[in-house]
Amino acid sequence: MHSKDQICHEDYQRTADWLLSQTQHRPKVAIICGSGLGMLADALKCQDSFKYSDIPGFPQSTVKGHAGRLVFGELKGKTCVCMQGRFHMYEGHSLSKVTFPVRVFKLLGVETLMVTNAAGSLADSYNCGDIMIIRDHINFPGLAGLNPLSGPNDDKFGPRFPPMSGVYDKSLRKMAFDICKSMGVSQYVQEGVYCMVGGPNFESIAEAGLLHKLGVDAVGMSTAPEVLVASHCGMRVFGLSLITNKVVKSYEDNESVSHEAVLEVSKMRSETLQALVTELISRMDINNNTA
Ligand SMILES: O=P(O)(O)O[C@H]1O[C@H](CO)[C@@H](O)[C@H]1O
């Protein structure tokens, strides 16, 4: 490690080598669980799990609803690794730390990243409990220069100037829609634009109005950094937001949001999300490797 915030290739490799020495699983898919969505890991069979505090170089989770465990296992015969708990910028982690696991996954051989998050909706037609398939994102911290790809570029991972068009894989989005149709849940499935803000405060009414005018469908405090780093190193990306609250947009509205309410709604849709993610992974064209 060079300085507090600078992580070098050997640091990612050391963590990857440690994990490879501790498990026989060789995942091709990684899943990052959003707030209250850690149950996605429960569906994995033949689990090997590691507390973040036991993994060399791994940051620690500090947010309720983010257990802090890395779980390896199989979903319908496909080998996966699942983060039960992600890292957020507002916890005080540098963006290199927030995205550290993604580069470790790349070195483990992961080819597809599935990100999930809890988010508030701006789109008038969305309801609490809706599932939004992410078509694109607006990365507010990134636009302001807070970007995990800032600093010296590691060419072993990807190019200095990566494109960001078409990052959320079209064929996986279509497959997810088809699955939702066959599951009979299309009435609460949306596709839209996720916006990352820095947090940890929820939005003021004026900020909500701004995001609404910008065409944001859902807002949260995560996801964009992990997606940037995954896409930079050539991973295929798929993302889901669970709409846990409607963002308050009017001064006449006396509602207010809380993290507890976010976790409560996450629980409500856990089975559907688990079924969707499992079916999507089972339909993916992946060849398993073994150690
Ligand atoms: O994005 P995830 O990790 O799902 O968490 C979302 O939920 C928390 C707020 O309740 C914030 O951390 C927000 O980003």
Side-chain angles (χ1 to χ4, degrees):
M1 195 99 43
H2 294 139
S3 71
K4 185 171 163 285
D5 287 347
Q6 211 180 334
I7 300 172
C8 61
H9 205 90
E10 292 69 33
D11 296 318
Y12 299 110
Q13 193 65 61
R14 199 171 303 120
T15 302
D17 289 345
W18 186 87
L19 288 166
L20 291 171
S21 73
Q22 302 291 313
T23 178
Q24 298 283 99
H25 290 300
R26 296 293 178 260
K28 288 287 176 69
V29 181
I31 305 162
I32 301 181
C33 301
S35 284
L37 299 172
M39 73 298 159
L40 291 174
D42 296 342
L44 298 190
K45 303 276 183 285
C46 311
Q47 292 192 6
D48 277 335
S49 78
F50 305 92
K51 284 195 273 176
Y52 291 167
S53 53
D54 292 336
I55 306 174
F58 239 65
Q60 306 308 312
S61 286
T62 67
V63 182
K64 198 170 163 206
H66 292 260
R69 265 177 8 128
L70 189 64
V71 183
F72 290 78
E74 290 189 5
L75 263 185
K76 299 254 178 115
K78 306 277 169 71
T79 310
C80 304
V81 57
C82 187
M83 285 179 72
Q84 271 187 324
R86 65 146 54 81
F87 310 113
H88 307 84
M89 204 173 73
Y90 63 75
E91 293 173 80
H93 300 298
S94 67
L95 286 172
S96 320
K97 278 280 181 189
V98 166
T99 55
F100 181 82
V102 177
R103 285 187 163 174
V104 170
F105 296 156
K106 175 72 184 177
L107 297 176
L108 295 181
V110 166
E111 293 168 353
T112 304
L113 179 69
M114 298 186 67
V115 280
T116 64
N117 59 56
S121 68
L122 278 314
D124 296 318
S125 57
Y126 287 17
N127 293 305
C128 254
D130 281 0
I131 293 169
M132 184 184 88
I133 295 169
I134 305 177
R135 184 195 312 124
D136 200 353
H137 72 221
I138 295 175
N139 177 12
F140 259 116
L143 291 175
L146 276 170
N147 189 312
L149 301 175
S150 291
N153 185 56
D154 185 341
D155 297 335
K156 290 195 197 117
F157 283 116
R160 169 79 288 184
F161 299 109
M164 275 300 129
S165 49
V167 165
Y168 295 88
D169 189 84
K170 211 172 185 171
S171 61
L172 290 180
R173 286 190 277 129
K174 167 148 189 344
M175 207 186 274
F177 263 117
D178 293 345
I179 292 168
C180 290
K181 218 180 265 172
S182 59
M183 284 168 61
V185 298
S186 316
Q187 71 278 11
Y188 56 81
V189 177
Q190 315 278 357
E191 187 178 66
V193 173
Y194 174 87
C195 177
M196 182 200 176
V197 292
N201 60 284
F202 292 104
E203 295 64 44
S204 70
I205 290 173
E207 287 163 350
L210 171 72
L211 297 177
H212 190 227
K213 280 198 192 95
L214 289 177
V216 168
D217 296 304
V219 60
M221 308 168 196
S222 70
T223 301
E226 296 126 324
V227 167
L228 283 184
V229 167
S231 170
H232 175 251
C233 66
M235 284 187 201
R236 183 164 64 151
V237 173
F238 175 77
L240 288 177
S241 293
L242 176 62
I243 304 302
T244 51
N245 56 288
K246 291 181 86 123
V247 175
V248 179
K249 292 195 293 244
S250 157
Y251 292 101
E252 311 310 318
D253 191 340
N254 291 323
E255 292 283 312
S256 78
V257 61
S258 71
H259 186 56
E260 284 61 39
V262 164
L263 295 179
E264 215 29 61
V265 179
S266 300
K267 250 192 261 162
M268 180 178 116
R269 278 283 182 256
S270 61
E271 272 178 32
T272 310
L273 276 173
Q274 205 180 55
L276 170 57
V277 168
T278 304
E279 186 57 24
L280 193 57
I281 291 177
S282 88
R283 290 192 196 185
M284 276 183 198
D285 191 15
I286 303 167
N287 292 317
N288 272 350
N289 286 333
T290 41

